[in-house]
DNA sequence: ACGTGCGGGACATCCCGTTCGT
DNA sequence: ACGAACGGGATGTCCCGCACGT
């Protein structure tokens, strides 16, 4: 009440700067907490719950994200971004075939990990097509990019002769992509069984490609 | 209400067999309505909503199913049963390869149809591993049976020489299964695009098998 | 359906007789179960719950008691009757003082036992004055009879010289009665502590009377 | 609504101290209303009902008390506190005997008043031992404190010679306490009859002590 | 005498989002 | 930037009682 008039202009600026920075930090801590809770309780986790983890209240969430919907969207984008980064990094070197194999093994590692984050990713993919129409545009872009990237890798491999060229690149890419995501659906199995299946899938591909 | 022509037999029974038969009829009408609503609004559709469709009240739902959880379980079982029936029927004749192809094309037809029921099926599969632990035992049994059936078909094909035998039958079965379910995840695409992808998948398999 | 026409008139009569007898048996089993459940879950125990214990359904309860309210009334009367029988039996012999002491010790045994049945008795007494007005007439009669009986005992004792006669018999009776019931209110204590208190009360009375 | 003149201080605070103070005021108004309703409809009075009296919605109740259980606990504590304050004030001056008589007459006035608040108090005492286990710890503490206070008064009286010392102080205290509460159980009688009984009890004590 | 189907209604819980204050 | 108060509304659960059949 009375104490902010005892500050100089500089101090005010500094205080504001700090305020802004701390705001950004809070925002990302909230996002992190949301990913965690969404991964466990599902995207229906309450605002209050998430806020509790971070040590703030709903007010902060609303300040930073505006609505539940926006938070879910941001979480979706963030989770996708992280997965994409891993996958791209794992498929950046070597022949087309090697790059494809890198992608497959990295994806399989993630999908087969049964980690909450990947479960969340799958669930958001699924719900984007049903009960959360507002995620549809994002999902569409994501899926498209994923397919294109796969097809690109296959095509590269077919050009450098490391992948058989008697099948359509697009189809091959899309199928591999589908198979990878399909593993996630069977996540009721214990993680190691998941992992073995994903590895076997990789070897099988080695024969078929 | 709208589908009561398919219930004529039941309703006749109701007229004759009195109370208990009419109860059974109501029960199955509720189950039907639940499948419908769950497919559209998700498994969180309210009791009241479902009851409204059938023309009864929540009391009736509670009388027949005891709890939300039990209803979801019964819906899950029923949906699985229907899909299984279709798939088994489509893979009953011919060589191992033909039977496998029959299964794949029938599954692809279903999964690729983007029909609400199949979306529901996928969603229940997914949630069985995350937010609905009470579905886990059912899911586990279902997935196991599905894998075994696939592997059996592959093995049959390998024995009668219609499928290449330089790959492991279990792995092959599991992979095909995963790929099929994976298509469902990408359901944000328009149905016909889905269908084309599934068909292309079938052809690709023809080459790879 | 078809088998009751093969019976003779006598058999019918016999069957009816059996039916009636079995009905009475069911009725008292229900009453017993109701006392038990009411004692534990409170008088709000559901019909279905009580019926379940006996192995029948709500229908039977409604047939025999008509409504929740009537069942509660019957339970109230029955519980009171049982307590009264014990107390009267314990205060039937000896001088006025001895009879009074018998009553006190028997009451204290019951009230101090912390047994569910006595808790129920107290609770019904209490609720008769508040949330269950339909029990009021019963409660009034019960309390009146209790007071009169106490006063009678005191008076008898004063006449035969075994009880000091410088106090009003009615007041004395009523006070003793109140004190006994008061013990029940403090039932949060462990039973043996209850019992000790009740015994001490008896001794104290010995001095004061 | 009707008793807001007793809240004028609070409401002034609310106008000045802004949000949080107004919250506190609301909280205590809710508590007040809960006591009132609980006293009449029993501790099962609905949230909505209580909220309606105060002029807020269920949300506010939930905000301030978290759950029904917590509200009941707070009500219990508050009602006990008020009775204790009255009784202690009435037994603060004079010889041990006078203090004890003060306590008895004040208690008798309350218990004998048949006032809804006292009926509530009794009912909570009783239910603490049966259907509301979460009240047990509170009840235990309350009863203990009550007994100790009584015994202390008796002891004081015995020391200053105003109370006969041929009986055990603890027993005497406990018995008086029980008798007082016992009157409440007989609350089906019209209030004035109650009151007479309580007064008679006081006189009787005068002779016996 | 008893079971079953079902209506009708109450209620605690939970959650989203807005507003106000600091 | 964030906390606290609160409204509004949805939903699962539970239970009473009636009607019907046997």
């Amino acid at each position: 009440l009375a104490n902010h008039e005892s500050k100089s202009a500089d101090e005010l600026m500094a205080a504001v700067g700090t305020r802004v920075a701390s705001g950004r930090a809070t925002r990302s801590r909230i996002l992190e907490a949301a990913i965690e809770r969404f991964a466990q309780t599902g995207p229906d986790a309450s605002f209050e719950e998430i806020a509790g983890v971070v040590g703030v209240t709903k007010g902060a969430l609303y300040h930073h994200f505006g609505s539940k919907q926006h938070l879910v969207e941001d979480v979706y984008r963030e989770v996708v971004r992280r997965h994409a980064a891993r996958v791209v990094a794992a498929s950046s070197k070597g022949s087309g075939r090697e790059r494809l194999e890198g992608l497959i093994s990295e994806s399989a590692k993630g999908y087969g990990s049964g980690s909450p984050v990947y479960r969340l990713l799958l669930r958001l993919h699924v719900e984007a097509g049903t009960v959360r129409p507002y995620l549809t545009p994002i999902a569409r872009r994501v899926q498209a990019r994923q397919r294109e990237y796969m097809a690109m890798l296959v095509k590269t491999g077919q050009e450098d002769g490391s992948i058989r060229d008697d099948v359509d690149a697009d189809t091959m890419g899309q199928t591999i992509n589908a198979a990878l995501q399909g593993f996630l659906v069977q996540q009721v199995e214990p993680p190691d069984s998941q992992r073995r299946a994903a590895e076997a899938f990789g070897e099988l591909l080695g024969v078929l490609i």
Side-chain angles (χ1 to χ4, degrees), chain A residues 96 100 149-159 163-164 167-170 172-173 176:
Chain A
L100 185 56
Y149 189 70
M150 293 291 256
M152 184 270 286
L153 287 187
V154 173
K155 228 166 285 176
T156 304
Q158 290 177 329
E159 279 162 14
I163 295 182
R164 61 194 282 180
V167 294
D168 180 53
D170 287 327
M172 168 88 80
I176 295 174

Side-chain angles (χ1 to χ4, degrees), chain A residues 70-127:
Chain A
H70 280 86
L71 177 60
V72 174
E73 286 175 19
D74 280 4
V75 163
Y76 191 20
R77 282 198 207 92
E78 181 60 23
V79 171
V80 164
R81 197 173 300 139
R82 291 185 191 182
H83 171 63
R86 287 180 51 177
V87 156
V88 167
S91 63
S92 53
K93 302 195 197 91
S95 68
R97 184 191 190 97
E98 283 163 346
R99 295 178 63 187
L100 185 56
E101 287 173 348
L103 180 149
I104 289 172
S105 88
E106 186 63 26
S107 284
K109 224 193 300 180
Y111 289 150
S113 71
S115 100
V117 175
Y118 274 95
R119 296 217 246 246
L120 171 60
L121 183 55
L122 174 65
R123 183 149 175 208
L124 289 175
H125 278 329
V126 172
E127 297 191 354

Side-chain angles (χ1 to χ4, degrees), chain A residues 7-15:
Chain A
K7 291 180 179 182
S8 71
D10 284 0
E11 280 171 338
L12 268 179
M13 298 276 292

Side-chain angles (χ1 to χ4, degrees), chain A residues 37-39 41-46 68 72 120 123-124 127 132:
Chain A
R37 296 257 38 118
F38 281 3
T41 328
D44 297 317
S46 80
K68 187 82 186 282
V72 174
L120 171 60
R123 183 149 175 208
L124 289 175
E127 297 191 354
R132 297 190 199 272

